[in-house]
Amino acid sequence: MSDARPSDEERAARLAARRKAWNDAHPNYYVEYRERNREDIRRKNRDRERQRTQRAREEKAHRQKGIDRAKAWAKEHPEERQQARERYKQKHPDAYKQAQRDYYYRNRDAIAERRRAREAADPEKANEARRRAVDRARAAGRDSTWSPTEAQRATYRERENEARRLARRRARAGLPERQLHRVHAPERRHNEAAATAFFAKKRSGGDVARIREQDEPTPPELVHALQERSENRRVVREILAIADEYFAVHEVELRARVAEVSRARFRGGMLPLDVYTEPRRNALEFASRGYFRANVASPTSSLEVFRWLTTDLAKRKPGRSL
């Protein structure tokens, strides 16, 4: 028998086996314990959470006091604050850069919002500052050496060729050249802010009257034409709704009637009727009864009606003869 003491792994394994054996022998112990001490467990949890919240509140207040003291001292001693910052920056360059990065990532939304506000207030100044930054980077040798890959070059060439083809098609059609120009984000945000301020401004009675005087009234013939088109479209929608419902209920009867008339026409030496569109045309005639504007629901006056009449023809399988 060896006198060597058991290792930590062996003791841990024995304790785990003993704990598992006890748990297997008492499967309901923890459930029953929680049932017996439910209120006490909840009270302890509430007390622990209350203490944790209080500690967090006190720590936050303590940190805020330190921040307030530092801000007050920095405001009273700006030169000493700047010298201390420079000394720390020289002594701990890596820690200083990391602190700058941490501050940026903690407050990136607020920093971006302040930058957008400055750029929107003066887009030209923002563009000039951006150009100076690029010039400084180039003077310091930090100019980008990036170059596109072959796939990117092929994509660029395809875009340029498509733009040239579009320009040639526009010229052949007699259209003017493209007048769009690129707008940077600061200028775009400035324009959006100006437009929002203009349209959100409350107008006085005098302003409204002056604006109305600048507008010429719509000619009566155009108003009448718009009303006519609106009424015709309304009538077409109503007739098609009635015809669709009528056709769904009487489709078999309508098709049988068309087949009978087609056989009679064929015996008389005439061409048979279209078995796809004629049943729907009969349903359309039934739905058009009683409408003063029934003529607007004809295949030659409304594309919507034509598409409804030829629905079955469009569904016909390719290669199948009429």
Side-chain angles (χ1 to χ4, degrees):
M1 183 174 178
S2 176
D3 295 336
R5 301 181 62 181
S7 62
D8 295 339
E9 291 80 3
E10 293 176 352
R11 285 197 298 272
R14 284 201 300 268
L15 288 175
R18 193 179 307 165
R19 188 181 302 108
K20 184 178 184 303
W22 192 93
N23 291 335
D24 293 341
H26 306 83
N28 299 325
Y29 174 80
Y30 296 104
V31 176
E32 295 174 353
Y33 176 83
R34 284 193 292 269
E35 288 294 334
R36 291 194 308 268
N37 304 277
R38 185 178 301 277
E39 294 301 327
D40 188 49
I41 293 174
R42 290 179 176 176
R43 180 184 56 79
K44 291 180 179 179
N45 289 339
R46 288 194 298 269
D47 294 342
R48 183 169 55 253
E49 185 64 21
R50 191 180 297 111
Q51 294 173 3
R52 188 193 66 79
T53 304
Q54 181 63 24
R55 286 196 303 270
R57 189 182 297 113
E58 293 175 354
E59 292 175 358
K60 183 178 180 180
H62 182 71
R63 288 195 302 271
Q64 188 61 39
K65 288 182 180 179
I67 293 173
D68 294 340
R69 287 196 301 269
K71 287 183 177 180
W73 182 87
K75 188 176 181 180
E76 295 176 359
H77 308 82
E79 296 182 358
E80 296 179 7
R81 171 179 176 273
Q82 183 65 26
Q83 294 174 1
R85 173 177 291 185
E86 291 296 330
R87 287 195 301 269
Y88 182 85
K89 183 177 179 180
Q90 295 294 333
K91 188 175 182 180
H92 308 283
D94 296 336
Y96 180 81
K97 293 180 180 178
Q98 185 61 40
Q100 295 290 98
R101 287 192 291 267
D102 294 343
Y103 176 82
Y104 171 76
Y105 285 113
R106 284 197 311 270
N107 305 273
R108 57 166 57 185
D109 294 336
I111 294 173
E113 185 63 28
R114 291 196 297 267
R115 184 182 67 252
R116 284 192 292 268
R118 291 194 304 269
E119 293 175 350
D122 193 349
E124 186 59 32
K125 182 178 179 181
N127 292 336
E128 182 62 27
R130 192 178 294 107
R131 286 192 290 268
R132 288 199 302 269
V134 172
D135 294 339
R136 287 196 301 269
R138 289 176 178 175
R142 297 194 303 270
D143 192 10
S144 175
T145 58
W146 175 85
S147 60
T149 61
E150 290 298 329
Q152 290 171 334
R153 289 193 180 94
T155 302
Y156 299 155
R157 285 194 296 269
E158 181 61 28
R159 291 178 182 175
E160 293 173 355
N161 294 337
E162 180 61 27
R164 295 191 187 98
R165 287 193 291 268
L166 181 61
R168 288 194 294 269
R169 289 197 298 268
R170 187 185 293 111
R172 286 195 296 268
L175 299 176
E177 296 182 359
R178 190 177 182 182
Q179 300 295 325
L180 298 180
H181 62 281
R182 184 178 180 183
V183 178
H184 294 286
E187 185 177 355
R188 186 167 59 251
R189 285 193 291 266
H190 174 73
N191 296 338
E192 292 176 355
T196 302
F198 176 81
F199 289 106
K201 180 181 178 182
K202 293 185 178 181
R203 309 294 176 180
S204 62
D207 295 338
V208 174
R210 186 167 55 256
I211 293 173
R212 288 178 176 175
E213 290 176 357
Q214 297 174 357
D215 298 333
E216 296 182 359
T218 304
E221 58 272 14
L222 295 182
V223 176
H224 179 69
L226 177 62
Q227 293 174 348
E228 283 288 325
R229 288 196 299 269
S230 301
E231 183 64 19
N232 292 343
R233 291 175 182 175
R234 184 188 65 80
V235 172
V236 168
R237 286 196 298 268
E238 291 183 0
I239 291 176
L240 287 182
I242 298 174
D244 195 57
E245 185 175 355
Y246 180 81
F247 181 78
V249 176
H250 301 87
E251 181 179 2
V252 177
E253 178 184 350
L254 292 172
R255 293 191 182 280
R257 188 185 308 166
V258 169
E260 182 179 356
V261 174
S262 296
R263 285 192 295 269
R265 288 171 60 89
F266 182 76
R267 287 192 297 268
M270 294 182 292
L271 292 175
L273 300 176
D274 189 348
V275 296
Y276 291 102
T277 60
E278 191 63 22
R280 287 182 173 268
R281 190 184 65 80
N282 293 337
L284 188 65
E285 289 181 356
F286 173 83
S288 301
R289 296 173 185 173
Y291 278 92
F292 293 106
R293 298 171 180 263
N295 60 326
V296 300
S298 65
T300 58
S301 62
S302 175
L303 179 60
E304 189 175 2
V305 176
F306 176 78
R307 287 175 176 172
W308 185 83
L309 286 174
T310 57
T311 299
D312 297 334
L313 186 61
K315 294 180 181 178
R316 182 174 63 87
K317 296 181 179 180
R320 183 178 176 183
S321 61
L322 296 177

